[in-house]
Amino acid sequence: QVQLVESGGGLVQAGGSLRLSCAASGRTFSSYAMGWFHQAPGKERDFVAITWNGGRTYYADSVKGRFTISRDNAKNTVYLQMNSLKPEDTAVYYCAVARYGRSGSTRTDDYNYWGQGTQVTVSS
């Protein structure tokens, strides 16, 4: 049974930092792209960041220069370091694993395993 469990969310003031983690179990995902998405109330789930092929990364324009995605394949875990947080970053953050052959995709439909989400709230 594949499981992805996010942690590290919370309440932080604008300009602060959080580090999210996503621990996977049930399968090794070192050969698969892993990504982060977020969803604010009343909004669709949007792409944030992905990593694949041994460290290649891609970010949404809204988080470039502020967020860093990384992974530890030995621990089957992906991280999202979030710096210089803004109120508009407030959302539930989800980690996900892409289907094989869908590396580099920013589309939710190309990800077939999802975590439960962790809430990130940034106050003004």
Side-chain angles (χ1 to χ4, degrees):
Q1 186 91 339
V2 172
Q3 278 192 295
L4 301 174
V5 180
E6 302 98 333
S7 61
L11 175 64
V12 65
Q13 292 184 343
S17 298
L18 286 172
R19 178 176 159 93
L20 307 183
S21 63
C22 172
S25 62
R27 189 180 300 177
T28 298
F29 292 110
S30 60
S31 298
Y32 295 78
M34 296 187 71
W36 289 93
F37 295 76
H38 66 188
Q39 186 169 20
K43 299 282 190 175
E44 66 180 6
R45 190 170 299 184
D46 287 329
F47 163 76
V48 175
I50 49 173
T51 182
W52 74 101
N53 289 344
R56 188 172 181 179
T57 60
Y58 182 73
Y59 300 90
D61 288 342
S62 62
V63 307
K64 285 181 180 177
R66 300 188 298 121
F67 291 9
T68 302
I69 187 171
S70 62
R71 69 196 298 173
D72 185 340
N73 286 327
K75 297 181 178 179
N76 218 22
T77 299
V78 64
Y79 305 92
L80 186 68
Q81 178 66 46
M82 304 185 293
N83 298 326
S84 302
L85 282 161
K86 304 175 180 179
E88 51 262 47
D89 295 321
T90 295
V92 176
Y93 283 72
Y94 300 88
C95 67
V97 180
R99 298 179 181 274
Y100 188 80
R102 299 292 185 268
S103 297
S105 175
T106 63
R107 296 177 56 87
T108 59
D109 286 349
D110 284 330
Y111 292 75
N112 62 337
Y113 296 111
W114 293 84
Q116 85 288 347
T118 185
Q119 177 70 47
V120 172
T121 302
V122 184
S123 62
S124 301

